[in-house]
Amino acid sequence: MSKQEVPYKIYLTEDEMPKAWYNLRADMKNKPAPLMNPGTHKPMTAEELGQVFCAELVQQELDDTTPFIEIPDEIRNFYKMYRPSPLVRAYCLEEKLQTPAKIYYKFEGNNTSGSHKLNSAIAQAYYAKKQGLKGVTTETGAGQWGTALSMACAYFGLDCKVFMVKVSYEQKPFRREVMRTYGASVVPSPSETTEVGKKILAEHPGTTGSLGCAISEAVEVAVKNPGYRYVLGSVLNQVLLHQSVIGLEAKTALDKYGIKPDIVIGCAGGGSNLGGLIAPFMGEKLRGEADYRIIAVEPASCPSFTRGTFAYDFCDTGMICPLAKMYTLGSSFIPSANHAGGLRFHGMSTTLSQLYHDGYMEATSVEQTSVFEAAEQFARIEGILPAPESSHAIRVAIDEALKCKETGEEKTIVFGLTGTGYFDLVAYQKYNDGEMSDYIPSDEEIAASVAKLPKID
Ligand SMILES: *Cc1c(COP(=O)(O)O)cnc(C)c1O
C-alpha cells in the first residue's frame, strides 16, 4: 500500500471501539496454571480470592473459557474520553533509519496517568463501586498505576490508598502530588502503618522498598478494613483482559487498511500491556488462522522471561499473596539500584508465561543504556518523549527495522508505545550526563533468589 493511502495516524470512530474485551485464555489449549493458596497449596477458590479482590473481578480472573466479556457502558463511556488511542505510522523514523520496514506504534500515553494503566484502573474501580465498596488499596512503583487508579477512584467517588515504593516516593514528589490531587492518600513503603511493613523495616532498616513490599502492605490493609479490597495494575489475568482494548483497537485500525503485521513487539514488566496488545493476534495464532512473530522485551537487569524459572512463586515480599506459576527470578530478587528503566517486577503474567513456555512467543532482554539511546532517537524524530519502559520496545523495533535494511525485507512491525516519560527525568538526566551504566545480574545472584522459591510437590 502506498504512502499516501495509509495516514500518519489511524484513528477509529467511537463506534469502532471494542464493545467487549477479548479473553485470550479461552483460545489457549494449555490454560495458565491457577493461583494457589500459599498455606494449603490448593487452587484459590472464588471465595478465598473474594476476601482480597472485588467479586466480579474474581470471576474474570478465574474465567478461562468465555472469549468475549462485554465492556459495561460506564467503562466504555470513560474510555471515550481518552480513547481510541492513535495507531501511528512512524514514517519519519522509517525515513531516518532508511529501512524498507513499515513501523507502526500504538500510543497509550494520551491521558494524565501517562500510560495504558488507566484502561484497567477504570474497570477495576467500576466493579469496586458496583459492589458497594468504600475504597481500594494498591501499590505503585514508578507511579503510573497509582496515578491511573487515583483518577479512576476520583471518577467513581471511591477512597484510594496507595503504598508507593519509598525510593520513588522520594524521587518523584510530583507524581505523588498528582495522586493527591485526585484525592488518593499516598504512603511511602515500607511503612510503620502495617504489620508487614514494620516487620520488613525491622529486618532491613533503611530499605528504600520494593514493589513486593508495597504489595504486601496494600493487601494487609485491604484485608483488615471492611469495605476495602486490593487492586493490582499488572500480572493478573483480569488486567490482561482489560488491556485487550489496546490490541483490539490496533487490529481494527490495521484491518481498515488491509495491513497484516509480521512482528508485534511490547515491553514486559508484569505483562499487561504486552498481553493486551498481542491478544487478538495471539488469538489468531492459537486458532491457527494466522502467524505472527511476537516479542516480549525486558530489561537485562530484571530478566524474568529470559533468565527466570517457570515455577510457582510468591508475588510479594511478605509472602502473603497467592502463589502464581510464572517465569520468576524469585520474590526476593531486587533489581540493582542503578536500574532506572522500570519493568522491575520479579515475575510475569501467568498467561504470558504459559504462552512463552509453549513456544507461542519470543523474549529478549536489552541493556538500559541502549534503551535510552533508542528513546533519545525516537524522541528526536517522532517527537514524543517516551517512558523508559516503552523504550524497551522501541529499542527492539528499531533493531528489527535495521535488520530489514540489511536483508531488504519490507516487514511490517507494530510495537506498543505504552506511555510518556515526563516523570522519568531523573533517569534521562543520568543518561544525558553520561552517568548511566548497565548492570546484569550474575548467574549466582539469580540462583540465590531462585533457591528460595517455595517448595511445591
Ligand atoms: C507499568 C508500565 C509498563 C509495564 O507494565 P506491564 O504490566 O508489563 O505492561 C510499561 N510501560 C509503562 C508506561 C508503564 O506505566
Side-chain angles (χ1 to χ4, degrees):
M1 186 156 290
S2 79
K3 183 165 173 165
Q4 284 73 23
E5 284 170 86
V6 180
Y8 275 71
K9 284 200 194 98
I10 309 179
Y11 277 107
L12 304 179
T13 65
E14 283 179 4
D15 210 46
E16 290 170 319
M17 286 169 62
K19 298 186 175 61
W21 293 300
Y22 167 56
N23 180 9
L24 184 55
R25 286 166 286 160
D27 283 311
M28 290 169 68
K29 270 194 216 88
N30 296 333
K31 306 293 182 192
L35 295 173
M36 209 150 71
N37 182 309
T40 64
H41 291 182
K42 296 224 164 68
M44 293 288 289
T45 61
E47 197 188 341
E48 286 169 329
L49 285 170
Q51 292 163 10
V52 180
F53 300 110
C54 305
E56 194 132 354
L57 293 167
V58 169
Q59 294 311 315
Q60 295 181 357
E61 192 61 32
L62 296 175
D63 188 340
D64 284 347
T65 53
T66 312
F68 289 97
I69 295 175
E70 197 188 333
I71 305 174
D73 277 343
E74 289 88 338
I75 300 174
R76 248 189 126 237
N77 290 341
F78 188 91
Y79 280 166
K80 284 178 194 167
M81 288 198 278
Y82 70 99
R83 310 195 67 81
S85 73
L87 182 74
V88 184
R89 172 77 183 267
Y91 283 120
C92 301
L93 182 63
E94 290 169 18
E95 176 78 26
K96 180 76 184 177
L97 297 174
Q98 288 290 299
T99 173
K102 300 177 175 66
I103 308 173
Y104 294 84
Y105 57 90
K106 180 76 170 156
F107 181 47
E108 291 290 322
N110 271 334
N111 69 79
T112 297
S113 80
S115 81
H116 64 287
K117 295 213 170 62
L118 192 54
N119 301 333
S120 183
I122 195 63
Q124 298 197 45
Y126 167 79
Y127 291 115
K129 182 71 183 177
K130 200 173 152 210
Q131 194 173 331
L133 298 177
K134 276 190 241 161
V136 293
T137 70
T138 199
E139 77 295 329
T140 197
Q144 288 97 322
W145 168 245
T147 307
L149 189 69
S150 312
M151 293 171 71
C153 285
Y155 183 74
F156 285 120
L158 285 167
D159 185 35
C160 180
K161 294 187 200 304
V162 180
F163 287 88
M164 186 169 187
V165 178
K166 193 178 276 168
V167 58
S168 300
Y169 183 89
E170 284 159 4
Q171 282 183 359
K172 300 189 174 184
F174 297 140
R175 188 58 99 173
R176 184 175 82 208
E177 290 316 312
V178 177
M179 287 186 256
R180 290 180 62 210
T181 303
Y182 282 98
S185 63
V186 187
V187 179
S189 167
S191 75
E192 298 281 350
T193 68
T194 64
E195 293 309 315
V196 65
K198 282 183 210 162
K199 191 164 159 249
I200 291 167
L201 281 172
E203 282 167 17
H204 309 277
T207 175
T208 53
S210 71
L211 268 183
C213 297
I215 295 175
S216 299
E217 289 200 275
V219 170
E220 180 183 320
V221 172
V223 171
K224 284 190 178 163
N225 288 284
Y228 282 80
R229 291 293 186 281
Y230 167 71
V231 296
L232 179 61
S234 183
V235 184
L236 295 175
N237 293 329
Q238 54 186 277
V239 183
L240 267 73
L241 175 73
H242 306 145
Q243 294 297 355
S244 68
V245 290
I246 304 173
L248 292 166
E249 282 184 9
K251 182 122 195 343
T252 306
L254 291 168
D255 285 348
K256 266 185 155 180
Y257 290 87
I259 304 159
K260 187 182 165 297
D262 298 292
I263 311 176
V264 184
I265 300 168
C267 64
S272 75
N273 87 83
L274 179 67
L277 173 66
I278 68 174
F281 304 101
M282 183 62 89
E284 288 188 346
K285 193 164 168 161
L286 288 166
R287 297 189 302 270
E289 296 164 8
D291 199 14
Y292 304 95
R293 259 187 87 197
I294 293 172
I295 309 177
V297 190
E298 58 187 14
S301 51
C302 192
S304 332
F305 269 136
T306 50
R307 295 176 67 198
T309 300
F310 189 40
Y312 269 103
D313 192 11
F314 291 97
C315 293
D316 63 324
T317 312
M319 303 182 184
I320 58 177
C321 289
L323 300 168
K325 189 174 181 194
M326 57 188 175
Y327 278 85
T328 178
L329 296 164
S331 63
S332 62
F333 181 86
I334 295 185
S336 136
N338 82 348
H339 173 65
L343 310 173
R344 41 175 60 246
F345 187 60
H346 65 273
M348 188 52 65
S349 139
T350 58
T351 299
L352 294 187
S353 292
Q354 188 66 49
L355 290 166
Y356 178 66
H357 191 70
D358 292 341
Y360 287 101
M361 52 187 274
E362 307 165 29
T364 184
S365 73
V366 287
E367 294 173 28
Q368 64 176 357
T369 48
S370 78
V371 167
F372 277 80
E373 261 165 43
E376 180 189 79
Q377 186 173 23
F378 184 83
R380 290 182 184 183
I381 302 298
E382 290 286 323
I384 297 169
L385 181 76
E389 291 91 340
S390 324
S391 305
H392 289 72
I394 299 176
R395 171 76 273 161
V396 172
I398 290 178
D399 289 346
E400 289 295 330
L402 290 175
K403 278 185 209 161
C404 289
K405 184 174 172 175
E406 277 172 28
T407 61
E409 287 172 290
E410 292 186 25
K411 286 189 180 156
T412 297
I413 299 169
V414 174
F415 74 89
L417 187 68
T418 50
T420 47
Y422 300 115
F423 288 101
D424 301 290
L425 295 174
V426 172
Y428 274 100
Q429 181 181 20
K430 265 197 195 154
Y431 176 72
N432 291 333
D433 288 342
E435 283 168 6
M436 182 169 277
S437 56
D438 294 314
Y439 180 82
I440 301 178
S442 66
D443 289 342
E444 291 72 31
E445 240 174 289
I446 293 177
S449 57
V450 163
K452 292 185 212 151
L453 289 178
K455 303 278 175 287
I456 312 289
D457 26 60

